[in-house]
Short mmCIF file of all heavy atoms in Angstrom, two decimals:
data_model
loop_
_atom_site.label_atom_id
_atom_site.label_comp_id
_atom_site.label_asym_id
_atom_site.label_seq_id
_atom_site.Cartn_x
_atom_site.Cartn_y
_atom_site.Cartn_z
N VAL A 1456 6.01 -7.72 -2.88
CA VAL A 1456 6.55 -8.92 -3.51
C VAL A 1456 7.53 -9.64 -2.59
O VAL A 1456 7.60 -10.87 -2.58
CB VAL A 1456 7.25 -8.53 -4.84
CG1 VAL A 1456 8.16 -9.65 -5.33
CG2 VAL A 1456 6.19 -8.23 -5.90
N ARG A 1457 8.28 -8.88 -1.80
CA ARG A 1457 9.32 -9.47 -0.97
C ARG A 1457 8.80 -10.61 -0.08
O ARG A 1457 9.39 -11.71 -0.08
CB ARG A 1457 9.98 -8.39 -0.10
CG ARG A 1457 10.92 -7.48 -0.85
CD ARG A 1457 12.13 -8.24 -1.34
NE ARG A 1457 12.83 -8.86 -0.22
CZ ARG A 1457 13.73 -8.26 0.53
NH1 ARG A 1457 14.08 -7.00 0.26
NH2 ARG A 1457 14.33 -8.89 1.51
N PRO A 1458 7.70 -10.42 0.69
CA PRO A 1458 7.23 -11.52 1.54
C PRO A 1458 6.80 -12.76 0.75
O PRO A 1458 6.83 -13.87 1.28
CB PRO A 1458 6.03 -10.90 2.28
CG PRO A 1458 6.25 -9.43 2.22
CD PRO A 1458 6.92 -9.19 0.90
N CYS A 1459 6.41 -12.57 -0.51
CA CYS A 1459 6.00 -13.71 -1.34
C CYS A 1459 7.22 -14.49 -1.84
O CYS A 1459 7.16 -15.72 -1.99
CB CYS A 1459 5.18 -13.24 -2.53
SG CYS A 1459 3.66 -12.38 -2.09
N LEU A 1460 8.31 -13.80 -2.09
CA LEU A 1460 9.50 -14.45 -2.64
C LEU A 1460 10.37 -15.08 -1.55
O LEU A 1460 11.05 -16.07 -1.80
CB LEU A 1460 10.32 -13.44 -3.43
CG LEU A 1460 9.71 -12.94 -4.74
CD1 LEU A 1460 10.59 -11.86 -5.35
CD2 LEU A 1460 9.53 -14.09 -5.73
N ASP A 1461 10.36 -14.49 -0.36
CA ASP A 1461 11.25 -14.98 0.70
C ASP A 1461 11.08 -16.47 0.99
O ASP A 1461 12.07 -17.20 1.09
CB ASP A 1461 11.07 -14.16 1.97
CG ASP A 1461 11.68 -12.77 1.85
OD1 ASP A 1461 12.55 -12.59 0.97
OD2 ASP A 1461 11.29 -11.87 2.61
N PRO A 1462 9.82 -16.97 1.15
CA PRO A 1462 9.68 -18.39 1.45
C PRO A 1462 9.64 -19.28 0.21
O PRO A 1462 9.50 -20.50 0.32
CB PRO A 1462 8.34 -18.44 2.18
CG PRO A 1462 7.54 -17.35 1.55
CD PRO A 1462 8.54 -16.26 1.22
N ALA A 1463 9.76 -18.69 -0.98
CA ALA A 1463 9.63 -19.47 -2.21
C ALA A 1463 10.82 -20.41 -2.38
O ALA A 1463 11.94 -20.09 -1.96
CB ALA A 1463 9.53 -18.54 -3.42
N PRO A 1464 10.62 -21.57 -2.98
CA PRO A 1464 11.74 -22.47 -3.27
C PRO A 1464 12.65 -21.86 -4.34
O PRO A 1464 12.35 -20.81 -4.90
CB PRO A 1464 11.05 -23.74 -3.79
CG PRO A 1464 9.74 -23.25 -4.33
CD PRO A 1464 9.33 -22.10 -3.45
N ALA A 1465 13.75 -22.52 -4.58
CA ALA A 1465 14.69 -22.04 -5.59
C ALA A 1465 13.98 -21.88 -6.93
O ALA A 1465 13.25 -22.77 -7.38
CB ALA A 1465 15.86 -23.02 -5.72
N LEU A 1466 14.18 -20.74 -7.55
CA LEU A 1466 13.50 -20.44 -8.81
C LEU A 1466 14.37 -20.88 -9.99
O LEU A 1466 15.60 -20.83 -9.94
CB LEU A 1466 13.22 -18.95 -8.91
CG LEU A 1466 12.37 -18.35 -7.78
CD1 LEU A 1466 12.18 -16.86 -8.01
CD2 LEU A 1466 11.02 -19.04 -7.69
N GLY A 1467 13.69 -21.29 -11.07
CA GLY A 1467 14.38 -21.67 -12.29
C GLY A 1467 14.79 -20.46 -13.09
O GLY A 1467 14.37 -19.33 -12.81
N PRO A 1468 15.60 -20.64 -14.13
CA PRO A 1468 16.10 -19.51 -14.92
C PRO A 1468 14.99 -18.71 -15.59
O PRO A 1468 15.10 -17.48 -15.69
CB PRO A 1468 17.02 -20.18 -15.95
CG PRO A 1468 16.63 -21.62 -15.97
CD PRO A 1468 16.15 -21.93 -14.59
N LEU A 1469 13.91 -19.37 -16.04
CA LEU A 1469 12.83 -18.63 -16.68
C LEU A 1469 12.09 -17.77 -15.66
O LEU A 1469 11.69 -16.63 -15.95
CB LEU A 1469 11.85 -19.59 -17.36
CG LEU A 1469 12.35 -20.27 -18.62
CD1 LEU A 1469 11.28 -21.21 -19.18
CD2 LEU A 1469 12.74 -19.24 -19.68
N GLU A 1470 11.90 -18.29 -14.46
CA GLU A 1470 11.23 -17.52 -13.41
C GLU A 1470 12.09 -16.33 -12.98
O GLU A 1470 11.57 -15.21 -12.80
CB GLU A 1470 10.94 -18.42 -12.20
CG GLU A 1470 9.94 -19.51 -12.50
CD GLU A 1470 9.90 -20.56 -11.40
OE1 GLU A 1470 10.97 -21.01 -10.97
OE2 GLU A 1470 8.79 -20.92 -10.98
N VAL A 1471 13.38 -16.55 -12.86
CA VAL A 1471 14.28 -15.45 -12.51
C VAL A 1471 14.28 -14.39 -13.62
O VAL A 1471 14.23 -13.18 -13.34
CB VAL A 1471 15.71 -15.98 -12.27
CG1 VAL A 1471 16.70 -14.81 -12.13
CG2 VAL A 1471 15.74 -16.84 -11.02
N ALA A 1472 14.33 -14.84 -14.87
CA ALA A 1472 14.31 -13.90 -15.99
C ALA A 1472 13.02 -13.08 -15.99
O ALA A 1472 13.04 -11.87 -16.23
CB ALA A 1472 14.46 -14.65 -17.31
N ALA A 1473 11.89 -13.74 -15.70
CA ALA A 1473 10.60 -13.03 -15.67
C ALA A 1473 10.59 -11.97 -14.57
O ALA A 1473 10.12 -10.84 -14.79
CB ALA A 1473 9.46 -14.03 -15.46
N ILE A 1474 11.10 -12.33 -13.39
CA ILE A 1474 11.16 -11.35 -12.30
C ILE A 1474 12.02 -10.16 -12.69
O ILE A 1474 11.63 -9.00 -12.50
CB ILE A 1474 11.72 -12.02 -11.02
CG1 ILE A 1474 10.69 -13.01 -10.45
CG2 ILE A 1474 12.08 -10.97 -9.97
CD1 ILE A 1474 11.20 -13.83 -9.29
N ARG A 1475 13.17 -10.42 -13.25
CA ARG A 1475 14.08 -9.33 -13.63
C ARG A 1475 13.47 -8.44 -14.71
O ARG A 1475 13.59 -7.21 -14.65
CB ARG A 1475 15.42 -9.91 -14.10
CG ARG A 1475 16.25 -10.54 -12.97
CD ARG A 1475 17.56 -11.09 -13.51
NE ARG A 1475 18.38 -10.03 -14.08
CZ ARG A 1475 19.29 -9.34 -13.40
NH1 ARG A 1475 19.48 -9.58 -12.12
NH2 ARG A 1475 20.00 -8.40 -13.99
N VAL A 1476 12.82 -9.05 -15.69
CA VAL A 1476 12.20 -8.25 -16.76
C VAL A 1476 11.12 -7.34 -16.18
O VAL A 1476 11.06 -6.14 -16.51
CB VAL A 1476 11.60 -9.17 -17.84
CG1 VAL A 1476 10.67 -8.37 -18.76
CG2 VAL A 1476 12.71 -9.81 -18.66
N LEU A 1477 10.27 -7.85 -15.32
CA LEU A 1477 9.19 -7.05 -14.74
C LEU A 1477 9.74 -5.94 -13.86
O LEU A 1477 9.26 -4.80 -13.90
CB LEU A 1477 8.25 -7.95 -13.94
CG LEU A 1477 7.42 -8.93 -14.78
CD1 LEU A 1477 6.67 -9.90 -13.87
CD2 LEU A 1477 6.43 -8.17 -15.67
N VAL A 1478 10.75 -6.26 -13.06
CA VAL A 1478 11.32 -5.26 -12.16
C VAL A 1478 12.01 -4.16 -12.96
O VAL A 1478 11.79 -2.96 -12.72
CB VAL A 1478 12.31 -5.93 -11.18
CG1 VAL A 1478 13.13 -4.88 -10.44
CG2 VAL A 1478 11.55 -6.80 -10.19
N VAL A 1479 12.85 -4.55 -13.92
CA VAL A 1479 13.57 -3.55 -14.71
C VAL A 1479 12.60 -2.72 -15.55
O VAL A 1479 12.76 -1.49 -15.67
CB VAL A 1479 14.62 -4.24 -15.61
CG1 VAL A 1479 15.20 -3.26 -16.63
CG2 VAL A 1479 15.73 -4.83 -14.76
N HIS A 1480 11.58 -3.36 -16.12
CA HIS A 1480 10.61 -2.61 -16.93
C HIS A 1480 9.88 -1.58 -16.08
O HIS A 1480 9.71 -0.42 -16.50
CB HIS A 1480 9.61 -3.58 -17.56
CG HIS A 1480 8.51 -2.90 -18.30
ND1 HIS A 1480 8.73 -2.14 -19.44
CD2 HIS A 1480 7.17 -2.82 -18.07
CE1 HIS A 1480 7.59 -1.64 -19.87
NE2 HIS A 1480 6.63 -2.04 -19.06
N GLY A 1481 9.44 -1.98 -14.89
CA GLY A 1481 8.74 -1.03 -14.04
C GLY A 1481 9.61 0.13 -13.62
O GLY A 1481 9.16 1.28 -13.58
N TRP A 1482 10.87 -0.14 -13.31
CA TRP A 1482 11.76 0.91 -12.86
C TRP A 1482 12.20 1.82 -14.00
O TRP A 1482 12.27 3.04 -13.84
CB TRP A 1482 12.98 0.28 -12.19
CG TRP A 1482 14.02 1.23 -11.71
CD1 TRP A 1482 15.37 1.11 -11.91
CD2 TRP A 1482 13.87 2.41 -10.92
NE1 TRP A 1482 16.05 2.14 -11.30
CE2 TRP A 1482 15.16 2.96 -10.69
CE3 TRP A 1482 12.75 3.08 -10.38
CZ2 TRP A 1482 15.35 4.13 -9.96
CZ3 TRP A 1482 12.95 4.25 -9.66
CH2 TRP A 1482 14.24 4.76 -9.45
N ARG A 1483 12.47 1.26 -15.17
CA ARG A 1483 12.96 2.10 -16.27
C ARG A 1483 11.87 3.07 -16.73
O ARG A 1483 12.18 4.17 -17.20
CB ARG A 1483 13.49 1.25 -17.42
CG ARG A 1483 12.46 0.43 -18.19
CD ARG A 1483 12.00 1.09 -19.47
NE ARG A 1483 10.90 0.39 -20.08
CZ ARG A 1483 10.08 0.96 -20.96
NH1 ARG A 1483 10.24 2.20 -21.32
NH2 ARG A 1483 9.08 0.27 -21.47
N ARG A 1484 10.59 2.70 -16.59
CA ARG A 1484 9.50 3.62 -16.94
C ARG A 1484 9.52 4.86 -16.06
O ARG A 1484 9.05 5.92 -16.47
CB ARG A 1484 8.14 2.92 -16.79
CG ARG A 1484 7.91 1.81 -17.79
CD ARG A 1484 6.55 1.14 -17.57
NE ARG A 1484 5.46 2.07 -17.78
CZ ARG A 1484 4.52 2.34 -16.87
NH1 ARG A 1484 4.55 1.77 -15.68
NH2 ARG A 1484 3.55 3.19 -17.15
N ILE A 1485 10.09 4.73 -14.88
CA ILE A 1485 10.17 5.86 -13.96
C ILE A 1485 11.49 6.60 -14.13
O ILE A 1485 11.52 7.81 -14.37
CB ILE A 1485 10.03 5.37 -12.50
CG1 ILE A 1485 8.64 4.76 -12.27
CG2 ILE A 1485 10.29 6.51 -11.53
CD1 ILE A 1485 8.49 4.06 -10.94
N VAL A 1486 12.60 5.87 -14.02
CA VAL A 1486 13.89 6.54 -13.93
C VAL A 1486 14.28 7.25 -15.22
O VAL A 1486 14.93 8.31 -15.19
CB VAL A 1486 14.97 5.52 -13.51
CG1 VAL A 1486 15.30 4.55 -14.63
CG2 VAL A 1486 16.24 6.24 -13.05
N LEU A 1487 13.86 6.72 -16.37
CA LEU A 1487 14.21 7.38 -17.63
C LEU A 1487 13.35 8.60 -17.91
O LEU A 1487 13.63 9.35 -18.84
CB LEU A 1487 14.12 6.37 -18.79
CG LEU A 1487 15.09 5.20 -18.73
CD1 LEU A 1487 14.95 4.31 -19.96
CD2 LEU A 1487 16.54 5.67 -18.57
#
């Protein structure tokens, strides 16, 4: 994901929220 996000323009609040939800959901399934 990193190479795709690095050149991306500034993201809006909904896009940022979506990224955070997906990242946290994927990680919590493992860490918990």
Side-chain angles (χ1 to χ4, degrees):
V1456 164
R1457 286 293 302 275
C1459 300
L1460 291 175
D1461 287 340
L1466 302 180
L1469 288 179
E1470 294 168 313
V1471 171
I1474 290 173
R1475 290 180 62 91
V1476 166
L1477 292 172
V1478 168
V1479 170
H1480 175 65
W1482 178 227
R1483 68 98 188 159
R1484 292 179 63 237
I1485 296 171
V1486 72
L1487 296 182

